[in-house]
Amino acid sequence: MLLKNKKILIMGIRNKWSIAFGIAKTAYDNGAKLIFTYMGEENKGKIEELISEFKGSKAYVLDGASEDELVKETFTKIKEENGKVDGIVHAIAHANTEDLHNDFIYTSKEGFSHANDVSAYSFVLAARMAKELDMLNENASLVTLTYHGSTKVLEGYNVMGIAKAALESSVRYLAENLGKDGIRVNTVSAGPIKTLSAKGIKDFSSILTVVEEKAPLHRNVTTIQVGNVVTFLLSGMSEAITGQVIYADSGYNIMGI
Ligand SMILES: NC(=O)c1ccc[n+]([C@@H]2O[C@H](COP(=O)([O-])OP(=O)(O)OC[C@H]3O[C@@H](n4cnc5c(N)ncnc54)[C@H](O)[C@@H]3O)[C@@H](O)[C@H]2O)c1
């Protein structure tokens, strides 16, 4: 029970295929009390049904994780109703479909800003808002999700690779800023998983096949396996780790060709 008596805020649950859902399962099984944010007021019923297996959990709508005022409003409500939290998991990203389908060179200014706003700035905003609203308990841990396309060129990942590079760099700067308060900040670089977001990437199935062929473990990862790594990073077992990109990808990233 790595997270016994810990309250964890998980941002970005959408459905049972979401990485956020796998993380919720592992965190809950390790004793955590869960709070969620999700997108779309119209999804309220569906999300409440989805999280009903996590006894005592609550979900709050957040229609714009990169909007300062919306995050302030939602986090204020979360703190009022739940008190401080011991960890925040950020599992949010988005890029415009055309920017994932065209060659990267054609990324528009709006598409470039959008991907970086939603996928990288939103994490900086969550960290800052949590600090300013005094939402974080001592030794709190913040974790976000990234992908290997931040450092290597993967056809079809395009502007999302740039956003993930910004996110990983933000993790290092945030780790330095928040380290003074004993708060840790890390990111898990998950291997490819078939989620709704992943469906936006061209030929996603062929990426899964290549991982099976080439990764040292010759298998793809599951949301539960990623959740286990995130749970470790949320827990006191990882108290010596901050500012890191931890790969949970069956070892794929170490391979040359
Ligand atoms: N699936 C993969 O292969 C993979 C691999 C590595 C990292 N990741 C990362 O994992 C995270 C979770 O993605 P997932 O694959 O579970 O997909 P998902 O579609 O289940 O989750 C993405 C979430 O982002 C939310 N979101 C998008 N735009 C938003 C906005 N403006 N405001 C608030 N919320 C918004 C969606 O509502 C959704 O809940 C993302 O950061 C993704 O880049 C995914």
mmCIF file of all heavy atoms in Angstrom, residues 187-228:
data_model
loop_
_atom_site.group_PDB
_atom_site.id
_atom_site.type_symbol
_atom_site.label_atom_id
_atom_site.label_comp_id
_atom_site.label_asym_id
_atom_site.label_seq_id
_atom_site.Cartn_x
_atom_site.Cartn_y
_atom_site.Cartn_z
ATOM 1 N N THR A 187 8.396 12.932 -14.876
ATOM 2 C CA THR A 187 7.518 12.513 -15.966
ATOM 3 C C THR A 187 7.801 11.064 -16.348
ATOM 4 O O THR A 187 8.945 10.621 -16.300
ATOM 5 C CB THR A 187 7.629 13.450 -17.196
ATOM 6 O OG1 THR A 187 6.726 12.988 -18.206
ATOM 7 C CG2 THR A 187 9.037 13.514 -17.770
ATOM 8 N N VAL A 188 6.748 10.359 -16.706
ATOM 9 C CA VAL A 188 6.880 8.979 -17.162
ATOM 10 C C VAL A 188 6.713 8.979 -18.679
ATOM 11 O O VAL A 188 5.714 9.471 -19.205
ATOM 12 C CB VAL A 188 5.822 8.072 -16.499
ATOM 13 C CG1 VAL A 188 5.854 6.668 -17.114
ATOM 14 C CG2 VAL A 188 6.071 7.996 -15.000
ATOM 15 N N SER A 189 7.722 8.455 -19.378
ATOM 16 C CA SER A 189 7.644 8.338 -20.830
ATOM 17 C C SER A 189 7.091 6.954 -21.147
ATOM 18 O O SER A 189 7.807 5.952 -21.112
ATOM 19 C CB SER A 189 9.024 8.547 -21.459
ATOM 20 O OG SER A 189 8.888 8.618 -22.859
ATOM 21 N N ALA A 190 5.800 6.939 -21.421
ATOM 22 C CA ALA A 190 5.107 5.659 -21.645
ATOM 23 C C ALA A 190 5.330 5.165 -23.070
ATOM 24 O O ALA A 190 5.408 5.965 -24.006
ATOM 25 C CB ALA A 190 3.613 5.848 -21.399
ATOM 26 N N GLY A 191 5.407 3.863 -23.236
ATOM 27 C CA GLY A 191 5.401 3.283 -24.573
ATOM 28 C C GLY A 191 4.039 3.513 -25.194
ATOM 29 O O GLY A 191 3.085 3.891 -24.506
ATOM 30 N N PRO A 192 3.906 3.293 -26.503
ATOM 31 C CA PRO A 192 2.623 3.548 -27.165
ATOM 32 C C PRO A 192 1.504 2.627 -26.673
ATOM 33 O O PRO A 192 1.724 1.433 -26.480
ATOM 34 C CB PRO A 192 2.929 3.275 -28.647
ATOM 35 C CG PRO A 192 4.148 2.421 -28.648
ATOM 36 C CD PRO A 192 4.929 2.782 -27.427
ATOM 37 N N ILE A 193 0.335 3.222 -26.459
ATOM 38 C CA ILE A 193 -0.842 2.474 -25.984
ATOM 39 C C ILE A 193 -2.042 2.961 -26.791
ATOM 40 O O ILE A 193 -2.194 4.177 -26.999
ATOM 41 C CB ILE A 193 -1.099 2.746 -24.480
ATOM 42 C CG1 ILE A 193 0.113 2.327 -23.637
ATOM 43 C CG2 ILE A 193 -2.365 2.029 -24.004
ATOM 44 C CD1 ILE A 193 -0.031 2.628 -22.150
ATOM 45 N N LYS A 194 -2.889 2.025 -27.207
ATOM 46 C CA LYS A 194 -4.065 2.406 -28.016
ATOM 47 C C LYS A 194 -5.108 3.117 -27.154
ATOM 48 O O LYS A 194 -5.912 2.472 -26.493
ATOM 49 C CB LYS A 194 -4.663 1.154 -28.650
ATOM 50 C CG LYS A 194 -5.119 1.384 -30.054
ATOM 51 C CD LYS A 194 -5.535 0.100 -30.735
ATOM 52 C CE LYS A 194 -5.185 0.178 -32.203
ATOM 53 N NZ LYS A 194 -5.234 -1.086 -32.874
ATOM 54 N N THR A 195 -5.071 4.425 -27.126
ATOM 55 C CA THR A 195 -6.078 5.222 -26.418
ATOM 56 C C THR A 195 -6.758 6.110 -27.468
ATOM 57 O O THR A 195 -6.316 6.140 -28.621
ATOM 58 C CB THR A 195 -5.428 6.130 -25.363
ATOM 59 O OG1 THR A 195 -4.544 7.033 -26.046
ATOM 60 C CG2 THR A 195 -4.649 5.336 -24.332
ATOM 61 N N LEU A 196 -7.764 6.866 -27.038
ATOM 62 C CA LEU A 196 -8.450 7.748 -27.991
ATOM 63 C C LEU A 196 -7.477 8.778 -28.562
ATOM 64 O O LEU A 196 -7.492 9.059 -29.758
ATOM 65 C CB LEU A 196 -9.631 8.428 -27.302
ATOM 66 C CG LEU A 196 -10.722 8.922 -28.235
ATOM 67 C CD1 LEU A 196 -11.296 7.783 -29.061
ATOM 68 C CD2 LEU A 196 -11.831 9.584 -27.441
ATOM 69 N N SER A 197 -6.596 9.315 -27.728
ATOM 70 C CA SER A 197 -5.613 10.293 -28.216
ATOM 71 C C SER A 197 -4.696 9.671 -29.248
ATOM 72 O O SER A 197 -4.377 10.285 -30.267
ATOM 73 C CB SER A 197 -4.765 10.836 -27.066
ATOM 74 O OG SER A 197 -5.543 11.659 -26.252
ATOM 75 N N ALA A 198 -4.275 8.431 -28.984
ATOM 76 C CA ALA A 198 -3.323 7.763 -29.883
ATOM 77 C C ALA A 198 -3.930 7.520 -31.260
ATOM 78 O O ALA A 198 -3.217 7.474 -32.261
ATOM 79 C CB ALA A 198 -2.861 6.448 -29.260
ATOM 80 N N LYS A 199 -5.265 7.413 -31.299
ATOM 81 C CA LYS A 199 -5.933 7.161 -32.588
ATOM 82 C C LYS A 199 -5.707 8.297 -33.571
ATOM 83 O O LYS A 199 -5.834 8.129 -34.772
ATOM 84 C CB LYS A 199 -7.431 6.948 -32.370
ATOM 85 C CG LYS A 199 -7.721 5.550 -31.870
ATOM 86 C CD LYS A 199 -9.213 5.261 -31.941
ATOM 87 C CE LYS A 199 -9.507 3.858 -31.445
ATOM 88 N NZ LYS A 199 -10.822 3.710 -30.876
ATOM 89 N N GLY A 200 -5.378 9.480 -33.051
ATOM 90 C CA GLY A 200 -5.137 10.635 -33.915
ATOM 91 C C GLY A 200 -3.812 10.536 -34.664
ATOM 92 O O GLY A 200 -3.549 11.315 -35.576
ATOM 93 N N ILE A 201 -2.961 9.587 -34.258
ATOM 94 C CA ILE A 201 -1.630 9.481 -34.881
ATOM 95 C C ILE A 201 -1.674 8.491 -36.040
ATOM 96 O O ILE A 201 -2.151 7.363 -35.880
ATOM 97 C CB ILE A 201 -0.585 9.072 -33.817
ATOM 98 C CG1 ILE A 201 -0.499 10.171 -32.754
ATOM 99 C CG2 ILE A 201 0.788 8.821 -34.446
ATOM 100 C CD1 ILE A 201 0.082 9.730 -31.454
ATOM 101 N N LYS A 202 -1.166 8.959 -37.175
ATOM 102 C CA LYS A 202 -1.184 8.158 -38.409
ATOM 103 C C LYS A 202 -0.479 6.815 -38.209
ATOM 104 O O LYS A 202 0.592 6.778 -37.593
ATOM 105 C CB LYS A 202 -0.444 8.968 -39.486
ATOM 106 C CG LYS A 202 -1.122 8.963 -40.812
ATOM 107 C CD LYS A 202 -0.463 9.861 -41.874
ATOM 108 C CE LYS A 202 0.955 10.303 -41.696
ATOM 109 N NZ LYS A 202 1.506 11.125 -42.750
ATOM 110 N N ASP A 203 -1.043 5.730 -38.698
ATOM 111 C CA ASP A 203 -0.402 4.400 -38.648
ATOM 112 C C ASP A 203 0.029 3.995 -37.248
ATOM 113 O O ASP A 203 1.109 3.426 -37.052
ATOM 114 C CB ASP A 203 0.838 4.360 -39.566
ATOM 115 C CG ASP A 203 0.440 4.428 -41.018
ATOM 116 O OD1 ASP A 203 -0.704 4.019 -41.341
ATOM 117 O OD2 ASP A 203 1.254 4.914 -41.827
ATOM 118 N N PHE A 204 -0.801 4.302 -36.258
ATOM 119 C CA PHE A 204 -0.417 4.015 -34.873
ATOM 120 C C PHE A 204 -0.170 2.518 -34.649
ATOM 121 O O PHE A 204 0.749 2.141 -33.921
ATOM 122 C CB PHE A 204 -1.496 4.544 -33.913
ATOM 123 C CG PHE A 204 -1.103 4.408 -32.480
ATOM 124 C CD1 PHE A 204 -0.181 5.280 -31.918
ATOM 125 C CD2 PHE A 204 -1.627 3.399 -31.688
ATOM 126 C CE1 PHE A 204 0.221 5.156 -30.604
ATOM 127 C CE2 PHE A 204 -1.233 3.263 -30.367
ATOM 128 C CZ PHE A 204 -0.317 4.142 -29.827
ATOM 129 N N SER A 205 -0.970 1.677 -35.319
ATOM 130 C CA SER A 205 -0.818 0.221 -35.137
ATOM 131 C C SER A 205 0.572 -0.254 -35.535
ATOM 132 O O SER A 205 1.120 -1.176 -34.914
ATOM 133 C CB SER A 205 -1.839 -0.533 -35.957
ATOM 134 O OG SER A 205 -3.102 -0.163 -35.514
ATOM 135 N N SER A 206 1.155 0.388 -36.560
ATOM 136 C CA SER A 206 2.491 -0.059 -36.993
ATOM 137 C C SER A 206 3.539 0.297 -35.929
ATOM 138 O O SER A 206 4.545 -0.404 -35.787
ATOM 139 C CB SER A 206 2.850 0.510 -38.364
ATOM 140 O OG SER A 206 2.927 1.898 -38.282
ATOM 141 N N ILE A 207 3.307 1.339 -35.152
ATOM 142 C CA ILE A 207 4.239 1.691 -34.052
ATOM 143 C C ILE A 207 4.204 0.572 -33.013
ATOM 144 O O ILE A 207 5.246 0.138 -32.503
ATOM 145 C CB ILE A 207 3.862 3.058 -33.410
ATOM 146 C CG1 ILE A 207 3.922 4.176 -34.450
ATOM 147 C CG2 ILE A 207 4.762 3.373 -32.221
ATOM 148 C CD1 ILE A 207 3.547 5.555 -33.929
ATOM 149 N N LEU A 208 2.996 0.063 -32.739
ATOM 150 C CA LEU A 208 2.861 -1.028 -31.749
ATOM 151 C C LEU A 208 3.606 -2.281 -32.235
ATOM 152 O O LEU A 208 4.269 -2.971 -31.450
ATOM 153 C CB LEU A 208 1.379 -1.363 -31.521
ATOM 154 C CG LEU A 208 0.510 -0.270 -30.901
ATOM 155 C CD1 LEU A 208 -0.941 -0.720 -30.869
ATOM 156 C CD2 LEU A 208 0.974 0.077 -29.492
ATOM 157 N N THR A 209 3.518 -2.557 -33.525
ATOM 158 C CA THR A 209 4.185 -3.730 -34.092
ATOM 159 C C THR A 209 5.703 -3.603 -33.968
ATOM 160 O O THR A 209 6.395 -4.563 -33.610
ATOM 161 C CB THR A 209 3.789 -3.879 -35.590
ATOM 162 O OG1 THR A 209 2.376 -3.836 -35.661
ATOM 163 C CG2 THR A 209 4.302 -5.169 -36.180
ATOM 164 N N VAL A 210 6.223 -2.406 -34.252
ATOM 165 C CA VAL A 210 7.677 -2.192 -34.177
ATOM 166 C C VAL A 210 8.173 -2.387 -32.733
ATOM 167 O O VAL A 210 9.224 -2.994 -32.513
ATOM 168 C CB VAL A 210 8.047 -0.777 -34.713
ATOM 169 C CG1 VAL A 210 9.514 -0.467 -34.463
ATOM 170 C CG2 VAL A 210 7.731 -0.669 -36.190
ATOM 171 N N VAL A 211 7.390 -1.921 -31.763
ATOM 172 C CA VAL A 211 7.801 -2.102 -30.358
ATOM 173 C C VAL A 211 7.906 -3.592 -30.029
ATOM 174 O O VAL A 211 8.891 -4.042 -29.428
ATOM 175 C CB VAL A 211 6.832 -1.381 -29.386
ATOM 176 C CG1 VAL A 211 7.123 -1.761 -27.940
ATOM 177 C CG2 VAL A 211 6.925 0.125 -29.558
ATOM 178 N N GLU A 212 6.905 -4.353 -30.474
ATOM 179 C CA GLU A 212 6.933 -5.813 -30.218
ATOM 180 C C GLU A 212 8.157 -6.475 -30.849
ATOM 181 O O GLU A 212 8.771 -7.356 -30.269
ATOM 182 C CB GLU A 212 5.674 -6.458 -30.794
ATOM 183 C CG GLU A 212 4.591 -6.614 -29.740
ATOM 184 C CD GLU A 212 3.326 -7.225 -30.312
ATOM 185 O OE1 GLU A 212 3.391 -7.968 -31.314
ATOM 186 O OE2 GLU A 212 2.273 -6.925 -29.736
ATOM 187 N N GLU A 213 8.504 -5.976 -32.024
ATOM 188 C CA GLU A 213 9.657 -6.566 -32.733
ATOM 189 C C GLU A 213 10.979 -6.162 -32.092
ATOM 190 O O GLU A 213 11.875 -6.982 -31.928
ATOM 191 C CB GLU A 213 9.685 -6.055 -34.185
ATOM 192 C CG GLU A 213 8.799 -6.808 -35.124
ATOM 193 C CD GLU A 213 8.683 -6.079 -36.466
ATOM 194 O OE1 GLU A 213 9.490 -5.179 -36.761
ATOM 195 O OE2 GLU A 213 7.734 -6.413 -37.192
ATOM 196 N N LYS A 214 11.103 -4.877 -31.716
ATOM 197 C CA LYS A 214 12.435 -4.347 -31.382
ATOM 198 C C LYS A 214 12.719 -4.087 -29.910
ATOM 199 O O LYS A 214 13.889 -4.036 -29.515
ATOM 200 C CB LYS A 214 12.676 -3.065 -32.167
ATOM 201 C CG LYS A 214 12.603 -3.310 -33.671
ATOM 202 C CD LYS A 214 13.284 -2.231 -34.459
ATOM 203 C CE LYS A 214 13.375 -2.671 -35.926
ATOM 204 N NZ LYS A 214 13.531 -1.564 -36.846
ATOM 205 N N ALA A 215 11.708 -3.859 -29.097
ATOM 206 C CA ALA A 215 11.981 -3.541 -27.680
ATOM 207 C C ALA A 215 12.631 -4.745 -27.008
ATOM 208 O O ALA A 215 12.296 -5.892 -27.333
ATOM 209 C CB ALA A 215 10.676 -3.190 -26.970
ATOM 210 N N PRO A 216 13.549 -4.519 -26.076
ATOM 211 C CA PRO A 216 14.198 -5.635 -25.381
ATOM 212 C C PRO A 216 13.190 -6.641 -24.807
ATOM 213 O O PRO A 216 13.434 -7.841 -24.829
ATOM 214 C CB PRO A 216 14.973 -4.937 -24.262
ATOM 215 C CG PRO A 216 15.271 -3.587 -24.806
ATOM 216 C CD PRO A 216 14.101 -3.210 -25.664
ATOM 217 N N LEU A 217 12.041 -6.171 -24.337
ATOM 218 C CA LEU A 217 11.055 -7.089 -23.742
ATOM 219 C C LEU A 217 10.065 -7.646 -24.779
ATOM 220 O O LEU A 217 9.201 -8.468 -24.427
ATOM 221 C CB LEU A 217 10.296 -6.401 -22.603
ATOM 222 C CG LEU A 217 11.145 -6.059 -21.369
ATOM 223 C CD1 LEU A 217 10.329 -5.235 -20.359
ATOM 224 C CD2 LEU A 217 11.669 -7.321 -20.689
ATOM 225 N N HIS A 218 10.176 -7.175 -26.017
ATOM 226 C CA HIS A 218 9.319 -7.664 -27.127
ATOM 227 C C HIS A 218 7.831 -7.697 -26.778
ATOM 228 O O HIS A 218 7.133 -8.666 -27.071
ATOM 229 C CB HIS A 218 9.782 -9.049 -27.607
ATOM 230 C CG HIS A 218 11.146 -8.983 -28.212
ATOM 231 N ND1 HIS A 218 11.389 -8.448 -29.450
ATOM 232 C CD2 HIS A 218 12.348 -9.344 -27.710
ATOM 233 C CE1 HIS A 218 12.682 -8.489 -29.707
ATOM 234 N NE2 HIS A 218 13.297 -9.020 -28.666
ATOM 235 N N ARG A 219 7.372 -6.648 -26.131
ATOM 236 C CA ARG A 219 5.925 -6.535 -25.869
ATOM 237 C C ARG A 219 5.582 -5.065 -25.649
ATOM 238 O O ARG A 219 6.455 -4.259 -25.286
ATOM 239 C CB ARG A 219 5.530 -7.366 -24.636
ATOM 240 C CG ARG A 219 6.241 -6.921 -23.382
ATOM 241 C CD ARG A 219 5.825 -7.713 -22.152
ATOM 242 N NE ARG A 219 6.435 -7.123 -20.969
ATOM 243 C CZ ARG A 219 7.149 -7.778 -20.077
ATOM 244 N NH1 ARG A 219 7.352 -9.060 -20.180
ATOM 245 N NH2 ARG A 219 7.654 -7.144 -19.030
ATOM 246 N N ASN A 220 4.313 -4.746 -25.873
ATOM 247 C CA ASN A 220 3.864 -3.376 -25.597
ATOM 248 C C ASN A 220 3.505 -3.246 -24.117
ATOM 249 O O ASN A 220 3.386 -4.240 -23.403
ATOM 250 C CB ASN A 220 2.689 -3.034 -26.496
ATOM 251 C CG ASN A 220 3.168 -2.598 -27.881
ATOM 252 O OD1 ASN A 220 3.708 -1.507 -28.031
ATOM 253 N ND2 ASN A 220 3.007 -3.462 -28.863
ATOM 254 N N VAL A 221 3.376 -1.988 -23.666
ATOM 255 C CA VAL A 221 3.065 -1.763 -22.251
ATOM 256 C C VAL A 221 1.555 -1.590 -22.071
ATOM 257 O O VAL A 221 0.842 -1.278 -23.034
ATOM 258 C CB VAL A 221 3.810 -0.531 -21.682
ATOM 259 C CG1 VAL A 221 5.314 -0.733 -21.762
ATOM 260 C CG2 VAL A 221 3.408 0.757 -22.388
ATOM 261 N N THR A 222 1.092 -1.778 -20.852
ATOM 262 C CA THR A 222 -0.325 -1.586 -20.528
ATOM 263 C C THR A 222 -0.468 -0.338 -19.655
ATOM 264 O O THR A 222 0.511 0.141 -19.070
ATOM 265 C CB THR A 222 -0.870 -2.792 -19.737
ATOM 266 O OG1 THR A 222 -0.172 -2.833 -18.474
ATOM 267 C CG2 THR A 222 -0.642 -4.099 -20.476
ATOM 268 N N THR A 223 -1.703 0.146 -19.569
ATOM 269 C CA THR A 223 -1.933 1.330 -18.721
ATOM 270 C C THR A 223 -1.654 0.991 -17.251
ATOM 271 O O THR A 223 -1.260 1.864 -16.483
ATOM 272 C CB THR A 223 -3.373 1.855 -18.877
ATOM 273 O OG1 THR A 223 -4.291 0.826 -18.512
ATOM 274 C CG2 THR A 223 -3.662 2.299 -20.286
ATOM 275 N N ILE A 224 -1.833 -0.268 -16.884
ATOM 276 C CA ILE A 224 -1.560 -0.672 -15.496
ATOM 277 C C ILE A 224 -0.050 -0.630 -15.224
ATOM 278 O O ILE A 224 0.396 -0.163 -14.167
ATOM 279 C CB ILE A 224 -2.120 -2.096 -15.214
ATOM 280 C CG1 ILE A 224 -3.651 -2.103 -15.320
ATOM 281 C CG2 ILE A 224 -1.667 -2.630 -13.851
ATOM 282 C CD1 ILE A 224 -4.396 -1.312 -14.263
ATOM 283 N N GLN A 225 0.729 -1.104 -16.191
ATOM 284 C CA GLN A 225 2.191 -1.056 -16.011
ATOM 285 C C GLN A 225 2.667 0.390 -15.877
ATOM 286 O O GLN A 225 3.533 0.688 -15.055
ATOM 287 C CB GLN A 225 2.896 -1.742 -17.197
ATOM 288 C CG GLN A 225 2.728 -3.251 -17.183
ATOM 289 C CD GLN A 225 3.199 -3.892 -18.486
ATOM 290 O OE1 GLN A 225 3.409 -3.226 -19.494
ATOM 291 N NE2 GLN A 225 3.346 -5.209 -18.472
ATOM 292 N N VAL A 226 2.101 1.277 -16.692
ATOM 293 C CA VAL A 226 2.466 2.696 -16.585
ATOM 294 C C VAL A 226 1.990 3.223 -15.223
ATOM 295 O O VAL A 226 2.712 3.942 -14.528
ATOM 296 C CB VAL A 226 1.851 3.513 -17.753
ATOM 297 C CG1 VAL A 226 2.089 4.998 -17.567
ATOM 298 C CG2 VAL A 226 2.423 3.038 -19.086
ATOM 299 N N GLY A 227 0.783 2.810 -14.836
ATOM 300 C CA GLY A 227 0.230 3.226 -13.538
ATOM 301 C C GLY A 227 1.119 2.805 -12.381
ATOM 302 O O GLY A 227 1.295 3.554 -11.414
ATOM 303 N N ASN A 228 1.699 1.618 -12.479
ATOM 304 C CA ASN A 228 2.592 1.157 -11.404
ATOM 305 C C ASN A 228 3.807 2.070 -11.256
ATOM 306 O O ASN A 228 4.230 2.382 -10.137
ATOM 307 C CB ASN A 228 3.058 -0.282 -11.685
ATOM 308 C CG ASN A 228 1.992 -1.298 -11.329
ATOM 309 O OD1 ASN A 228 1.180 -1.082 -10.420
ATOM 310 N ND2 ASN A 228 1.971 -2.415 -12.025
#
